[in-house]
Amino acid sequence: MKVSNLMIRLFTLLMMVITNNSVATMAGCSKWTKLETQTDCVVSTVQLIASPSSYENRRIRLAGVVNFEYERNLLYMDIYSYEERLYENAINLALDVEDIEPLIQVNGELVRIYGKFKKLSDGFYYLTEVSHIKLKDGGLVLFDDSRGKVIPSIIRK
């Protein structure tokens, strides 16, 4: 049975409304989602899409399906959104990498990505300052900026 785009959008809207109510009361990261520091927390993409200002300038961890391209890098909330290119179900990734080619090989993979959530000068929110990406198979994507340019490298288990 194929799920229609309307059903997916209605489900997403419902989740955003439900999540927005709980996010409004928690005003950021709860004690259950904190990682290493006071500003680091685990956030669902639904929470982030529903209430982006609650997480502005925070270091966060997101889970989703990545898609790297030369013009645009996105983290989709699920595989269906990735396959159907539902941009409204995605978070922009601001990566200043020298070569995007190594990252293209992880397109479509479920990942955990670590970075800082910010509103940039174009008025849109992005996950920036990405430190690393954990792959589902246990591998890592590391970003080396020791030579002035950010160079991604993928380490598979």
Side-chain angles (χ1 to χ4, degrees):
M1 175 172 67
K2 188 163 183 160
V3 180
S4 72
N5 280 344
L6 178 60
M7 291 298 292
I8 294 295
R9 289 175 189 214
L10 287 174
F11 174 76
T12 302
L13 180 61
L14 177 64
M15 292 303 294
M16 289 172 78
V17 168
I18 291 169
T19 304
N20 197 26
N21 289 338
S22 65
V23 169
T25 60
M26 101 176 159
C29 305
S30 75
K31 66 180 182 178
W32 303 109
T33 61
K34 287 189 173 116
L35 294 175
E36 294 83 29
T37 69
Q38 289 296 335
T39 57
D40 286 352
C41 61
V42 177
V43 181
S44 78
T45 52
V46 173
Q47 287 175 314
L48 205 55
I49 291 168
S51 184
S53 60
S54 295
Y55 300 97
E56 191 169 353
N57 294 315
R58 290 184 179 260
R59 296 205 60 77
I60 61 173
R61 182 186 86 188
L62 292 169
V65 179
V66 291
N67 187 61
F68 297 106
E69 297 175 355
Y70 290 98
E71 297 295 320
R72 190 175 198 184
N73 303 304
L74 297 168
L75 179 75
Y76 289 94
M77 64 186 276
D78 56 39
I79 193 69
Y80 180 80
S81 298
Y82 166 76
E83 289 172 348
E84 297 297 323
R85 296 300 192 258
L86 299 176
Y87 300 117
E88 61 272 20
N89 292 345
I91 304 297
N92 290 304
L93 304 174
L95 298 174
D96 185 24
V97 295
E98 185 174 278
D99 183 16
I100 199 79
E101 196 66 36
L103 295 173
I104 291 174
Q105 64 182 299
V106 298
N107 281 353
E109 288 194 36
L110 181 63
V111 301
R112 288 186 175 142
I113 187 167
Y114 299 76
K116 189 170 189 177
F117 193 63
K118 290 184 184 179
K119 184 186 260 188
L120 298 185
S121 60
D122 63 2
F124 293 101
Y125 286 98
Y126 291 81
L127 189 66
T128 66
E129 301 174 29
V130 174
S131 60
H132 63 287
I133 300 172
K134 287 186 180 178
L135 305 174
K136 185 179 178 182
D137 67 4
L140 284 173
V141 178
L142 301 174
F143 297 92
D144 177 16
D145 62 353
S146 62
R147 296 182 211 144
K149 296 273 186 172
V150 180
I151 301 169
S153 60
I154 299 172
I155 303 165
R156 297 271 187 186
K157 274 194 161 187

